[in-house]
Amino acid sequence: MANRANFLLPIALLLISVAVASASDGILRVSLKKRTLSRDSLVASRVAFNEEGTVALAARKFGLARGYLEPEPVGPVGPGEDDAGDIIGLKNYMNAQYFGEIGIGSPAQNFTVIFDTGSSNLWIPSAKCYFSVACYFHSKYKSSQSSTYQKNGKSASIHYGTGSISGFFSEDQVTIGDLVVNDQAFIEATKEPSVTFLVAKFDGILGLGFQEISVGNATPVWYNMVSQNLIKDAVFSFWFNRNSGDGEGGEVVFGGVDKNHFKGEHTYVPVTSKGYWQFAMGDILVGGNSTGFCANGCAAIADSGTSLIAGPTSVIAEINQQIGAAGVLSQQCKAVAAQYGEMIIEKLIAKEDPAKVCSSIGVCTYDGTHGVKAGIRSVVDKATGGFSDAMCTYCELAVTWMENQISQNKTVEQIISYVDKLCERLPSPMGESAVDCDSVSSMPNVSFTIGGKTFDLTPEQYVLEVTQGGTSQCISGFIALDVPQGPLWILGDVFMGAYHTVFDYGNLRVGFAEAA
């Protein structure tokens, strides 16, 4: 198993300075240049993760883990494939952060922000942030220097997996490209206690989710773009350039799509719950073979604020096993397979309710709702509660894995051996799982079924490779996340980098097409 510490060795990271120019076709374009950075932000993101002790989603674009604890989403449906609106260039930070520049106030004070479809507020550091070191390393908003500033003063706080920010609301005009949004409410952050924000390569976050999850019920920037008639169509789209060595990081287009960045037509699916851009997803396949986990449907979120693809531990472990990713070698998990394996298989073959199997053999306590089908809590989260909690979690995982194998008519010996191998592939408690860089070309495709269409990810697309001095570290693009309302999948930049994504607010739908 690869030593996690190896990933913290100096890495060639990229930041991009920005120059703005207007194209002759009336579309705003932002040209991007790159300069070399240190690896400090990557190191600190792990430190912050450790400090919080939170096993949420390791969102390597924020450089932090964000817990999906806010309300649920519902969404919109679509523009013409030839409509190009205002284009905002994005910076590409090691294929793990994409961010662009906005202005706030008159005259505009510039800030670098993540355009995040997984949240709905705009926040930036305040000049009134006196006691958080992070604020001294980022641009700060000075209300006294803006002629369009309006006082609000309502307090606000936003909690992420590895930290939080707090402050108060203010109102001012926000400039995005050549669009000016008037009377926009945003949060002036006066406290940024996490080391994550200290080393982040962005100043703040501009949320593009629905108002239903907006802290303080503040009207999102996107809503005001629409209501103030600043864009042609109520739609925005993302293109991420996954070539971190290229000069262009990607783009967000407000009011349309850029035909130069996708092939064919988009496959659209309706948003199922307002909040995040959530939709129904079908089966997940590895090497063309069904995992069986989402054959009857799963919920998924398209989230530009998440670097990797997150899903239930049981399935992520299966995927990582098949691609050879090494996570935590859990002797407790292997002990469950050895001690209770045959008993679990017998009960499943006898058609006992899978949610009750682990309680019936005395490993878990069934409370009427707890069980595999009701959603499994994080392995690491539960393991911190003690040995018995961990054994219960591993038992539930084994039930899920064994169900899949039984459906394939495997023998008892084959099933127990398979589960034993999966135990070795459980994702690391601290986030990523490593893969052999030399084996990437032989790894299988991983596919997601959306809108009845199969969207393939090749190994080159789902493996994140970081290189310095001729030495490479390869990381699996799949990370475990178990939520109480689950199962829930978060399709972050690994997926959105392969597929141009349209967020159609006017028609409440999300569309995907092969990126070009």
Side-chain angles (χ1 to χ4, degrees), residues 106-435:
S106 302
Q109 301 172 40
N110 294 332
F111 299 91
T112 300
V113 297
I114 286 180
F115 291 93
D116 176 30
T117 59
S119 65
S120 300
N121 291 88
L122 168 62
W123 68 263
I124 42 86
S126 172
K128 297 180 175 65
C129 179
Y130 304 118
F131 303 109
S132 293
V133 178
C135 291
Y136 291 91
F137 288 85
H138 293 91
S139 300
K140 294 182 287 186
Y141 172 75
K142 303 175 179 65
S143 59
S144 62
Q145 295 183 10
S146 174
S147 61
T148 48
Y149 161 75
Q150 299 179 56
K151 183 177 180 179
N152 180 303
K154 180 180 177 182
S155 62
S157 63
I158 301 178
H159 299 272
Y160 299 105
T162 55
S164 62
I165 64 97
S166 60
F168 58 90
F169 279 102
S170 292
E171 294 181 15
D172 208 331
Q173 69 178 29
V174 174
T175 304
I176 304 176
D178 58 1
L179 301 180
V180 178
V181 181
N182 294 312
D183 304 319
Q184 177 62 50
F186 63 97
I187 298 172
E188 289 193 48
T190 56
K191 292 182 180 179
E192 298 181 20
S194 173
V195 68
T196 300
F197 297 117
L198 170 64
V199 296
K201 302 308 173 186
F202 56 88
D203 300 314
I205 295 170
L206 191 155
L208 292 170
F210 292 92
Q211 190 168 2
E212 279 76 359
I213 60 170
S214 175
V215 171
N217 198 38
T219 303
V221 174
W222 168 248
Y223 280 48
N224 280 330
M225 283 187 188
V226 175
S227 64
Q228 295 176 22
N229 298 314
L230 299 178
I231 54 176
K232 178 181 178 182
D233 294 309
V235 62
F236 59 90
S237 56
F238 275 84
W239 169 66
F240 290 140
N241 185 356
R242 298 299 284 176
N243 182 2
S244 60
D246 197 354
E248 192 173 11
E251 67 180 24
V252 185
V253 179
F254 292 103
V257 297
D258 186 340
K259 292 190 298 183
N260 294 320
H261 293 310
F262 64 89
K263 301 175 183 177
E265 296 185 355
H266 290 81
T267 296
Y268 285 95
V269 287
V271 175
T272 57
S273 178
K274 266 192 173 179
Y276 310 114
W277 288 87
Q278 182 174 317
F279 53 91
M281 184 175 73
D283 202 5
I284 298 167
L285 304 94
V286 179
N289 299 314
S290 171
T291 61
F293 192 79
C294 287
N296 295 321
C298 286
I301 291 169
D303 185 4
S304 62
T306 296
S307 301
L308 309 180
I309 293 176
T313 299
S314 56
V315 187
I316 295 299
E318 282 199 55
I319 293 174
N320 280 339
Q321 189 271 335
Q322 294 193 50
I323 68 175
V328 175
L329 176 59
S330 173
Q331 294 302 321
Q332 292 178 4
C333 178
K334 295 166 78 71
V336 168
Q339 185 173 350
Y340 300 102
E342 291 187 17
M343 199 180 307
I344 293 172
I345 293 170
E346 289 176 3
K347 290 182 177 295
L348 291 174
I349 292 176
K351 303 299 182 182
E352 183 169 331
D353 183 353
K356 299 180 180 179
V357 168
C358 292
S359 60
S360 70
I361 63 176
V363 179
C364 298
T365 300
Y366 184 70
D367 61 6
T369 58
H370 179 70
V372 173
K373 297 302 184 183
I376 305 169
R377 287 190 291 154
S378 168
V379 171
V380 181
D381 189 39
K382 292 190 73 174
T384 59
F387 179 81
S388 61
D389 279 352
M391 292 291 282
C392 177
T393 296
Y394 296 135
C395 179
E396 292 176 335
L397 290 173
V399 169
T400 299
W401 295 332
M402 288 178 177
E403 273 192 288
N404 183 18
Q405 292 296 288
I406 290 172
S407 69
Q408 298 179 36
N409 297 316
K410 301 291 186 179
T411 66
V412 172
E413 292 75 17
Q414 288 174 324
I415 294 173
I416 293 177
S417 175
Y418 180 72
V419 171
D420 189 74
K421 291 177 181 178
L422 288 185
C423 286
E424 299 179 9
R425 303 299 182 179
L426 286 172
S428 166
M430 302 314 300
E432 309 91 346
S433 296
V435 299

